Amino acid sequence: MRLLYGLPNIFTLLSFLLRSSTTNGQYPPLTTSDSNITTVRSPADRRVTISFKTPTIGTCTTVFSTQKQYTGHVLLPPFTLAPIQQNYSINTFFWFIEARSNPSTAPLTIYINGGPGSSSMVGLFQECGPCEVVEITKGQLGTQPREWGWDRSSNVIFIDQPNQVGLSYDTPTNGSLNLLTSAFSIPPTSAPPNQPAYTFLNGTFGSSNSNATTNTTEIAALAIWHMLQGFLGAFPQYNPGTRPNSTGPGVVGVNLFAESYGGKYGPAFAALWEKQNMLRLSGSIRSNQTLEIRLISLGIIQGCVDDLVQGRYYPIFANNNTYGIKALSMVDQLTAANSFLSATGCQQLIQSCREAVDSMDPNDSGDVSTVNKICEQAHQNCNDNVIAPFTNSGRSVYDIAQMVPDSFPPSTYLEYLNSANVQAAIGAVINYTESNSVVQSAFIATGDYQRGNQISQMSYLLSLGVRVALIYGDRDYICNWVGGEAVSFSIAAQSPLTSPFYSAGYADIVVNNSYIGGAVRQYGNLSFSRIYDSGHLIPAYQPETAFTVFTRIITGTDISTGETVDLSSFATAGDRNATYTNTVPDLVSPKCYLRNVGSTCTSEQKSMLQNGQGVIINGVLYDKESDWQPPAAEVESLAGMPGTVPLSMTASTASMSSGMGMVGGESRTTGSLPTGVYVATGTPSVTGRGGDKKGGAASMRGGGVDGARICYYVLGWVVVMLGSELVGLF
């Protein structure tokens, strides 16, 4: 999910900031009368209940009609997280989808977006889920299969967390949402005078009580461990660690992929799960009442991991990126860089925060006010003085090649998830909100962003044999790839097993027989991938490349080619630096979404909405009705709606007895059906590298680059004098 936890007083610019919405004057259907909902108690903890249903076919249209799906909530009653003071219920929403091929033996991938406070339905509907929302006709939305959905190679579960995020809740509470200001009102109230009724909505949400949600990453990790105990207990057939005749962890297993603030979530969640496994073995917690979560790989997508490492690269990347974009004046760049290093600046305040945590709040409970104040001050200083100056450029922090407002990827799914038939189909108890400012504020108040420890956690995971993969798009500023590369080196420095990572070179990521999608440095179980021409939400920008990298990670192959290798000694070969330079794509005119006004609408469009001007079609503002363009004719045969099967849906899943890839070909398919992942037999000639061409290996945003015009350059050292210290950028 895009980073919410960012720049003070400019959240409406820098985040999805409450792309929240409710149905037009409607409340979710009552689930108490839904006979299709099954409720069971967790075999692992009888206090925990799991309520779930199979969504009506067509709700999320998959390639095969036989791919099972489950949506529902795992209820953790009050005090489940004891000794943490959890005096509220946690109802965590999940959406599970079977793999297209061999789901009974496929790996399980857990997908979590970031924020903090952002829903993982972003990942499902905008990035890598099995379906995407499309317009069918005027006034009718549906879903069609996503060619490069990650169900192509894995069972996948998308989880809304922490509590009150997305479709997760504590206590269902009626309220109002002003779409023009993103302001909530509890209890419900009337629209302000002269404001159009369709911009002010009533619905049901979580309580908006900041004391009824998680406020640190460590507490969130424990809550999700308990949630997964419930889910895997109810669905043991999807837990590779408990399947009959389960093979070793190098073959199948549980994979965790986390995005953006997931750079903090992912390492902490994974490390806690491994700790719980150790406690089971030692008898400290009962092994007959809990389940092992056997982690195979951790993927961090565009992760903001540690500002102590990444912070110095914000002002550098703003002006020294592979697009030749200069977003800061030299004065602003030097000022921001000095602010990071000064005696009272970002770097020193982070160190003070971590010293306070170690001495006074070592369990990251977030309930020591002195520690919270020190860490919140560090967060505020880093944002104000190091990160925020970029916003004066008017460029998107999620895609430096675009200006704000930036409406990519499309927000169509917000309208879809808040329609009554979809809410009934998935058993929603509350209206959908993409991001939650209450959760965000709770994390800010504890200074969670700067508490750290994620790098040492990833080093620990490597020592256990877990694969750790960092994946970064090269057009994102807020968690930029140069800082991400620095994180990879910091991990290697703490892990003796991966010390040769430094000497590994960058190899091309060969996506298909005509396209290079990025560059990867890999040694053993540690890898760092730079994805060309991608902003913050990598699978939305480069769907085929993202899927290819994902699948090679979870199968433990060479990320460059997909070939089988011995990871105990494998290292990529190539240049020391990822030096490919990109072409800046054309600017794209923003599209104004009614349910995402703050991030997608210009000032003129906001004024139109306020004054009731224009026309809303499928959740988008147009000047006049004739401006709406109907979708292509084939969409009607591809797309489903709740209860409606598309004509193109295939009745059975693919069987792939000979493995997942196809050597030297596009990918393994069953007839023309999309399954499998490409395995390269060589590097393609320069016919495609990077770029934004629609479809296939390239991005869903327009534009493009001609491979014949590709050039290379070496940044070398960009040296900036900061007092007595030199800062370098390779």
Side-chain angles (χ1 to χ4, degrees):
M1 77 24 80
R2 293 190 182 187
L3 189 71
L4 270 175
Y5 207 177
L7 313 178
N9 303 320
I10 49 176
F11 289 133
T12 55
L13 172 65
L14 298 189
S15 68
F16 283 138
L17 184 59
L18 289 179
R19 290 190 177 181
S20 313
S21 43
T22 64
T23 56
N24 289 311
Q26 296 177 356
Y27 298 88
L30 291 175
T31 58
T32 53
S33 59
D34 190 340
S35 61
N36 295 314
I37 293 179
T38 300
T39 300
V40 299
R41 291 195 179 275
S42 169
D45 185 340
R46 303 299 292 176
R47 298 173 300 170
V48 174
T49 58
I50 304 94
S51 298
F52 63 92
K53 66 181 298 185
T54 297
T56 309
I57 193 166
T59 305
C60 178
T61 305
T62 51
V63 170
F64 301 105
S65 61
T66 49
Q67 285 179 259
K68 294 178 182 177
Q69 298 185 45
Y70 300 102
T71 57
H73 295 84
V74 176
L75 166 61
L76 306 184
F79 310 112
T80 302
L81 306 184
I84 294 167
Q85 296 300 310
Q86 175 232 337
N87 58 356
Y88 53 89
S89 295
I90 299 175
N91 294 273
T92 303
F93 179 79
F94 65 87
W95 195 318
F96 170 85
I97 307 98
E98 278 190 343
R100 299 177 196 180
S101 305
N102 303 325
S104 62
T105 58
L108 173 64
T109 297
I110 299 160
Y111 192 95
I112 294 173
N113 280 91
S118 290
S119 165
S120 295
M121 298 304 101
V122 171
L124 196 163
F125 286 103
Q126 291 190 308
E127 300 188 78
C128 59
C131 64
E132 55 189 338
V133 176
V134 293
E135 296 182 86
I136 298 176
T137 60
K138 190 178 296 183
Q140 183 63 66
L141 300 175
T143 59
Q144 68 181 21
R146 178 178 278 116
E147 180 179 8
W148 299 106
W150 289 7
D151 62 315
R152 190 170 176 141
S153 60
S154 179
N155 297 320
V156 189
I157 181 171
F158 296 85
I159 301 173
D160 273 347
Q161 65 83 47
N163 205 26
Q164 300 193 51
V165 169
L167 290 164
S168 298
Y169 65 95
D170 55 338
T171 303
T173 306
N174 291 341
S176 302
L177 171 64
N178 188 330
L179 294 179
L180 299 184
T181 64
S182 297
F184 275 100
S185 301
I186 295 177
T189 186
S190 301
N194 302 319
Q195 182 169 329
Y198 57 81
T199 67
F200 191 89
L201 308 172
N202 291 325
T204 304
F205 310 92
S207 70
S208 292
N209 179 356
S210 61
N211 293 318
T213 187
T214 296
N215 60 5
T216 72
T217 294
E218 288 299 318
I219 298 174
L222 185 59
I224 292 303
W225 181 82
H226 280 280
M227 178 268 170
L228 288 173
Q229 292 291 306
F231 175 82
L232 294 173
F235 296 96
Q237 66 271 33
Y238 299 120
N239 181 3
T242 58
R243 287 173 180 156
N245 303 316
S246 178
T247 55
V251 180
V252 292
V254 175
N255 307 281
L256 172 63
F257 278 70
E259 185 175 72
S260 192
Y261 203 82
K264 302 182 187 301
Y265 287 153
F269 288 18
L272 182 133
W273 300 347
E274 294 295 348
K275 177 183 175 182
Q276 296 294 91
N277 290 342
M278 298 295 183
L279 292 175
R280 291 180 73 253
L281 290 174
S282 68
S284 298
I285 58 177
R286 295 182 179 180
S287 60
N288 63 342
Q289 293 183 356
T290 56
L291 298 170
E292 176 186 4
I293 300 176
R294 182 187 296 173
L295 193 68
I296 301 304
S297 62
L298 169 66
I300 301 299
I301 308 168
Q302 214 70 41
C304 282
V305 177
D306 188 343
D307 268 353
L308 202 58
V309 175
Q310 293 169 277
R312 69 178 63 219
Y313 293 101
Y314 284 107
I316 294 174
F317 180 81
N319 279 1
N320 298 285
N321 48 75
T322 55
Y323 293 86
I325 291 171
K326 305 288 185 183
L328 297 177
S329 69
M330 184 56 69
V331 171
D332 286 345
Q333 182 183 16
L334 290 171
T335 300
N338 276 304
S339 293
F340 179 80
L341 292 168
S342 71
T344 58
C346 174
Q347 179 176 251
Q348 183 55 52
L349 290 174
I350 293 173
Q351 291 172 337
S352 298
C353 161
R354 294 180 184 179
E355 290 169 2
V357 170
D358 290 343
S359 62
M360 290 182 279
D361 189 14
N363 294 321
D364 275 319
S365 62
D367 58 2
V368 182
S369 59
T370 301
V371 176
N372 293 348
K373 183 176 180 180
I374 293 170
C375 293
E376 183 182 4
Q377 181 185 5
H379 161 69
Q380 202 76 16
N381 182 284
C382 295
N383 277 329
D384 288 351
N385 301 313
V386 180
I387 304 173
F390 175 91
T391 61
N392 295 326
S393 68
R395 293 186 175 274
S396 169
V397 295
Y398 305 117
D399 183 351
I400 63 172
Q402 298 297 320
M403 308 301 288
V404 293
D406 179 13
S407 57
F408 185 84
S411 295
T412 319
Y413 89 101
L414 295 173
E415 196 77 24
Y416 182 73
L417 270 186
N418 280 294
S419 59
N421 60 341
V422 174
Q423 290 175 333
I426 63 176
V429 175
I430 62 173
N431 290 105
Y432 177 70
T433 57
E434 187 176 79
S435 298
N436 189 298
S437 64
V438 171
V439 174
Q440 179 194 40
S441 297
F443 275 72
I444 289 175
T446 63
D448 183 78
Y449 196 99
Q450 304 302 350
R451 287 177 174 243
N453 206 34
Q454 278 75 17
I455 288 175
S456 61
Q457 287 166 338
M458 284 188 276
S459 175
Y460 166 68
L461 293 170
L462 286 168
S463 73
L464 298 177
V466 176
R467 293 190 285 272
V468 174
L470 308 178
I471 311 162
Y472 285 77
D474 61 14
R475 286 212 315 247
D476 180 52
Y477 167 80
I478 201 65
C479 306
N480 62 75
W481 76 271
V482 182
E485 182 185 48
V487 168
S488 72
F489 288 132
S490 294
I491 296 169
Q494 292 190 24
S495 177
L497 291 174
T498 56
S499 56
F501 180 80
Y502 291 95
S503 57
Y506 274 105
D508 290 330
I509 298 174
V510 183
V511 176
N512 58 43
N513 59 16
S514 64
Y515 187 80
I516 296 171
V520 59
R521 173 184 273 120
Q522 182 179 8
Y523 177 81
N525 284 329
L526 177 63
S527 65
F528 172 83
S529 298
R530 170 194 166 190
I531 307 302
Y532 298 148
D533 295 281
S534 175
H536 195 68
L537 303 182
I538 297 173
Y541 289 84
Q542 299 292 349
E544 185 177 355
T545 301
F547 165 77
T548 301
V549 170
F550 159 73
T551 303
R552 290 172 182 174
I553 291 166
I554 67 171
T555 54
T557 62
D558 175 3
I559 296 173
S560 169
T561 65
E563 294 178 297
T564 301
V565 293
D566 180 2
L567 287 181
S568 66
S569 58
F570 174 76
T572 49
D575 294 339
R576 180 185 178 192
N577 304 308
T579 57
Y580 168 69
T581 58
N582 313 70
T583 299
V584 180
D586 295 335
L587 293 176
V588 178
S589 298
K591 182 179 288 189
C592 177
Y593 290 89
L594 177 62
R595 296 180 184 272
N596 188 17
V597 172
S599 294
T600 67
C601 302
T602 64
S603 297
E604 180 182 1
Q605 290 167 329
K606 292 175 183 177
S607 178
M608 289 177 62
L609 289 171
Q610 176 68 59
N611 296 318
Q613 299 170 340
V615 59
I616 304 294
I617 300 174
N618 294 338
V620 177
L621 174 67
Y622 295 92
D623 290 340
K624 53 188 183 298
E625 188 171 352
S626 60
D627 290 339
W628 179 78
Q629 297 296 314
E634 61 267 21
V635 169
E636 192 167 353
S637 67
L638 291 171
M641 299 172 287
T644 302
V645 182
L647 298 175
S648 63
M649 180 175 272
T650 303
S652 62
T653 57
S655 177
M656 294 165 55
S657 59
S658 59
M660 211 175 289
M662 180 175 180
V663 177
E666 285 299 321
S667 57
R668 185 177 299 280
T669 62
T670 300
S672 60
L673 299 171
T675 59
V677 64
Y678 179 79
V679 179
T681 56
T683 301
S685 58
V686 185
T687 57
R689 185 193 295 265
D692 272 351
K693 294 165 288 184
K694 184 175 181 179
S699 170
M700 302 305 292
R701 196 199 279 274
V705 58
D706 181 352
R709 292 185 287 110
I710 291 173
C711 60
Y712 297 84
Y713 88 132
V714 178
L715 280 173
W717 280 94
V718 178
V719 180
V720 182
M721 184 64 69
L722 303 172
S724 60
E725 183 167 348
L726 296 178
V727 174
L729 172 65
F730 285 105

